[in-house]
Amino acid sequence: MTDLLRITDVEVEYRFRGRGRVRAVAGVSLDVAPGQIVGLVGESGCGKSSLARAAVGLTAPSAGEVRYAGRPVTPLGWRRRPGAEIGLQMVFQNPYASLNPRRTIGAQLLDGVAETVTGAARRDRVGELLDRVGMPAAAADRYPHQFSGGQRQRLAIARALAPQPKMIIADEPVTALDASSQAQVVNLLVGLVRDLDMGMLFISHDLALVHEIADVTAVMYLGRIVETAPTRELWRDPRHPYTRALIDAVPQIGPTPRLPGTLAGEVPDPANAPTGCRFRPRCPHAFAPCGDQPPTLQLGGRSAACWLNDPTVAPAAVPAH
Amino acid sequence: MAPLLDVDSLAVTLPGPRGPLPILHDVSLTVDEGELVGIAGESGCGKSLTAQTLLGLLPPGATVTGSARFAGTDLLGLDNRGWRRVRGGGIAMVFQDSTAALHPMLTIGRQLTEHMRVHLRMDRRAANRRAVELLDQVRIPDPERAMRAYPHQFSGGMRQRAAIAIALAARPRLLIADEPTTALDVTVQAGILALLDRLRAETGLAVAFITHDLGVLSALTTRGYIFYAGRVVETGPTGALLTAPTHPYTAALLGARPHGTQAVGTLRPIPGGPPAPGEAPPGCPFQPRCGYAQPSCGTAPPPLAPAGADRSVACVVRPHLEVATR
Ligand SMILES: Nc1ncnc2c1ncn2[C@@H]1O[C@H](COP(=O)(O)OP(=O)(O)OP(=O)(O)O)[C@@H](O)[C@H]1O
Ligand SMILES: Nc1ncnc2c1ncn2[C@@H]1O[C@H](COP(=O)(O)OP(=O)(O)O)[C@@H](O)[C@H]1O
Ligand code: SF4
Ligand code: SF4
Ligand SMILES: [Mg+2]
Ligand SMILES: [Mg+2]
């Protein structure tokens, strides 16, 4: 299976006048195949959105490469996207980032429909797109503010679908919604991936939600991917202490109150990333080798960047899980 | 012993563009001294309006009926001075968006001490001492330095802790927390939940915690209220409520959320959305979305009726509900 989206050793840097630079993404590789949902999780500020913007070509990576359908994605200010890249679309957390409040939904959907579709067929496409996201055809004549948050997000998805993309990058598409609206939007996205054989990179800080839908989950910490595994395996048997901590922090329903596990400290400022393993200051298992940055170890269909997985240095008594 | 907070048959109507809009109907709830109580439901079900009513923060033109007593005081009969006294020491609030509660141009220390000097009439030195103590209590590292920091220099979790510190400054007996962790990472949320639980244990603080996340409700609170369309539709001990719900809406909310450890790969959204104020159907407000509705559901909104140990439910059908174990 060839990858639809291939992110290789990507770095994203932000420069500040006088204050040097911040490396928000510090060497990330990630692949998404057609029909596959890859979840990307991590705490606020770890670089998820920075990676997403580089992946769709909204910003230029300072190093590394992004390929979509085998061709390099070219960063382009506000220039029109070359035909081949229209297949790569993004859905943002804030639907207003993709919907203009002053234009009708119909007009905005039409913008995305290919110019080769003409006449009455264009109008029909608008109806089809609204139907796909479970909205009535009458929505075409209304404005974004006339819809609830969940409905607006569905309309933003319709806008992203207008050019018939093969790959969707969804950056926290349901974070602002309550559970039922979340489920509606998430089921819609998953259905599209399955029906149309699209690829999807689904970014979220909600690990439980990603657990339900992603085929593969990548965990990001301070600009790096620390663990990647098929989702069920990751949840059942995490190999990185940070993954473990994220899972333990998810509040669970049970017969008596039970507080979720807490993780010491805060995500450090990426401008002052710790040396060695970046998770070291918060890691309950840190040991001598952690003063050096752990390589990403291949563990048979999954990978983790933690010294505990290296039998040549890890004390046998300390499991990562 | 009388509950610390006792709300009975509260109804709130707000002015709307086409006449008055009924928002809360017949809401009754209690919070005991040192108790952690949860309030949950979808967006727009009236959770925040309930909180605003209890803090005297309703928009102008609101009409309120029913009663709300806090530590013997009739809240609904208070004038502005009375409300200031309640907010200055009885009931405090933290919001979802702590950045909105903090002034961006003032240091954290200034905001903490100002509050104490105005509301508690403390002198500068005492206020400073107490401020450092509070920042330490909410586990902000290096409190002396944090006093000189501006809100934007804090992470989201630290800002929420600072907002809690400010809310605690006047030693309230009840803290109303309106989705204080909704915008935060799970790791940061875990820290805030642990903090609230510790404050309850150490100082006897009572907390009314508003959330739309049933996992949070279960993890923190001992008793819960499920709101729908401005009404309480089910209430009881949180564990029982969420492991064996008796209202179809509670069960539907559980089905819509991710399942945590037992992920099953399906989320079951509740079709449609809650009715807008004034647009609820004449019978049970959940009827248009309910898979168990019967003709009898259409006559009048079902009243909250006892349903087993310390539980009440507002459903006339009381169907057998299948709930996935998790
Ligand atoms: N335009 C920018 N200029 C400077 N720094 C930035 C910029 N955008 C992001 N950063 C910094 O880069 C880091 C990663 O930010 P990013 O927005 O990618 O995080 P994220 O993982 O998407 O977080 P969240 O979950 O809060 O959306 C952060 O430290 C952030 O402050
Ligand atoms: N100032 C207001 N004027 C009119 N309607 C309002 C006002 N504030 C909230 N509402 C309406 O009251 C209902 C309950 O709102 P709210 O208490 O904020 O819900 P929740 O906190 O449960 O999400 C919603 O339908 C909302 O649109
Ligand atoms: S490499 Fe060391 S510090 Fe880093 S996660 Fe593994 S055990 Fe912890
Ligand atoms: S009263 Fe009827 S419509 Fe309402 S929740 Fe019960 S079964 Fe459903
Ligand atoms: Mg982001
Ligand atoms: Mg609210």
Side-chain angles (χ1 to χ4, degrees):
Chain A
M1 194 162 49
T2 58
D3 289 314
L4 194 55
L5 182 71
R6 170 148 266 195
I7 297 171
T8 313
D9 299 326
V10 161
E11 295 184 7
V12 176
E13 272 184 3
Y14 298 107
R15 285 162 219 279
F16 297 93
R17 252 163 286 147
R19 286 217 297 115
R21 52 181 102 176
V22 166
R23 188 171 296 171
V25 179
V28 163
S29 300
L30 197 62
D31 300 331
V32 185
Q36 190 185 38
I37 301 175
V38 174
L40 179 64
V41 299
E43 284 166 290
S44 186
C46 72
K48 304 181 296 295
S49 299
S50 303
L51 178 65
R53 285 195 299 267
V56 284
L58 285 175
T59 51
S62 45
E65 186 189 48
V66 180
R67 282 178 173 263
Y68 166 72
R71 311 243 285 274
V73 170
T74 43
L76 27 72
W78 294 107
R79 258 191 310 125
R80 228 179 145 68
R81 234 164 227 292
E85 280 172 32
I86 286 176
L88 176 60
Q89 291 286 325
M90 179 135 171
V91 177
F92 298 89
Q93 171 173 350
N94 172 4
Y96 279 123
S98 27
L99 295 175
N100 181 332
R102 284 189 211 86
R103 298 178 63 217
T104 63
I105 299 297
Q108 300 190 57
L109 293 181
L110 277 175
D111 289 348
V113 175
E115 277 153 18
T116 50
V117 181
T118 53
R122 288 184 76 77
R123 199 67 212 168
D124 291 347
R125 279 295 298 288
V126 170
E128 277 165 38
L129 285 163
L130 288 170
D131 189 49
R132 255 220 175 275
V133 299
M135 296 294 290
D141 302 320
R142 298 167 67 186
Y143 293 86
H145 75 263
Q146 295 174 295
F147 297 93
S148 73
Q151 291 173 328
R152 267 201 297 270
Q153 196 55 286
R154 282 192 259 166
L155 294 168
I157 291 168
R159 174 63 184 83
L161 291 176
Q164 299 189 295
K166 298 303 287 170
M167 169 81 209
I168 291 228
I169 297 185
D171 188 5
E172 308 262 13
V174 296
T175 300
L177 308 178
D178 66 36
S180 185
S181 315
Q182 270 194 358
Q184 289 175 353
V185 174
V186 165
N187 283 1
L188 166 68
L189 283 169
V190 173
L192 290 167
V193 170
R194 306 296 183 219
D195 290 355
L196 308 177
D197 205 33
M198 293 185 339
M200 179 159 76
L201 180 62
F202 185 92
I203 299 174
S204 177
H205 66 249
D206 186 343
L207 203 62
L209 187 61
V210 168
H211 187 205
E212 295 284 353
I213 64 161
D215 302 304
V216 168
T217 298
V219 180
M220 196 163 177
Y221 186 75
L222 209 54
R224 291 219 166 90
I225 290 191
V226 297
E227 181 164 11
T228 309
T231 304
R232 298 286 160 85
E233 278 180 46
L234 181 101
W235 190 279
R236 181 164 19 85
D237 179 21
R239 299 291 178 82
H240 195 286
Y242 180 60
T243 312
R244 168 89 278 165
L246 283 184
I247 292 173
D248 288 347
V250 175
Q252 299 278 349
I253 287 179
T256 49
R258 191 165 56 94
L259 291 171
T262 50
L263 174 62
E266 300 237 351
V267 183
D269 180 354
N272 299 305
T275 56
C277 174
R278 295 182 157 209
F279 188 53
R280 187 170 46 144
R282 306 173 78 188
C283 181
H285 299 296
F287 62 128
C290 308
D292 294 322
Q293 186 188 308
T296 300
L297 297 166
Q298 298 304 321
L299 305 165
R302 57 191 297 184
S303 60
C306 166
W307 286 117
L308 292 172
N309 295 287
D310 183 342
T312 62
V313 300
V318 185
H321 41 276
Chain B
M1 203 179 68
L4 179 63
L5 175 73
D6 191 350
V7 176
D8 190 33
S9 312
L10 183 72
V12 172
T13 303
L14 294 181
R18 284 179 299 273
L21 286 173
I23 308 277
L24 297 178
H25 314 258
D26 196 21
V27 168
S28 296
L29 58 88
T30 61
V31 180
D32 283 337
E33 199 88 49
E35 194 184 22
L36 291 173
V37 170
I39 294 174
E42 280 165 289
S43 291
C45 283
K47 308 182 296 295
S48 298
L49 252 312
T50 303
Q52 285 167 35
T53 309
L54 299 176
L55 284 147
L57 298 174
L58 284 176
T63 1
V64 184
T65 61
S67 81
R69 300 188 73 78
F70 173 77
T73 306
D74 173 15
L75 292 178
L76 304 184
L78 291 178
D79 58 7
N80 282 342
R81 251 186 65 215
W83 274 121
R84 271 200 301 278
R85 203 163 46 235
V86 167
R87 293 197 290 260
I91 310 181
M93 174 121 185
V94 283
F95 300 90
Q96 171 170 349
D97 184 6
S98 53
T99 39
L102 298 173
H103 194 296
M105 311 289 275
L106 301 178
T107 62
I108 297 292
R110 173 88 185 276
Q111 300 190 50
L112 265 167
T113 51
E114 196 107 308
H115 184 88
M116 287 184 274
R117 293 178 64 186
V118 173
H119 286 287
L120 306 182
R121 312 241 146 81
M122 284 186 179
D123 66 31
R124 181 187 297 270
R125 175 151 340 139
N128 265 324
R129 208 175 325 115
R130 173 102 176 105
V132 171
E133 201 179 287
L134 281 164
L135 291 173
D136 191 48
Q137 195 175 19
V138 299
R139 300 274 154 93
I140 287 188
D142 201 348
E144 310 267 358
R145 211 182 81 173
M147 291 280 285
R148 297 188 299 271
Y150 290 89
H152 76 266
Q153 294 172 300
F154 277 8
S155 68
M158 297 228 309
R159 273 200 296 273
Q160 198 57 280
R161 278 164 197 273
I164 293 175
I166 292 174
L168 294 177
R171 302 188 199 274
R173 296 167 72 185
L174 172 65
L175 181 68
I176 299 180
D178 190 0
E179 312 220 20
T181 60
T182 301
L184 304 177
D185 286 314
V186 283
T187 46
V188 180
Q189 168 172 277
I192 301 285
L193 299 183
L195 168 65
L196 292 175
D197 191 58
R198 190 166 54 80
L199 290 170
R200 177 199 55 80
E202 287 175 3
T203 69
L205 182 71
V207 182
F209 196 101
I210 298 173
T211 177
H212 61 239
D213 183 342
L214 299 183
V216 171
L217 195 76
S218 180
L220 181 71
T221 69
T222 47
R223 227 155 42 73
Y225 292 85
I226 307 292
F227 271 55
Y228 188 74
R231 295 171 191 274
V232 175
V233 296
E234 187 167 10
T235 175
T238 310
L241 199 63
L242 300 183
T243 51
T246 57
H247 196 286
Y249 180 60
T250 313
L253 281 180
L254 286 162
R257 69 185 294 275
H259 298 69
T261 323
Q262 275 93 36
V264 289
T266 50
L267 302 167
R268 282 169 291 147
I270 314 174
E279 287 174 20
C284 170
F286 190 53
Q287 189 185 4
R289 308 169 76 191
C290 181
Y292 302 92
Q294 304 282 326
S296 61
C297 305
T299 43
L304 202 57
D310 301 322
R311 298 183 64 170
S312 302
V313 61
C315 170
V316 289
V317 176
R318 302 280 308 274
H320 174 72
L321 298 167
E322 293 292 342
V323 183
T325 47
R326 56 199 68 213

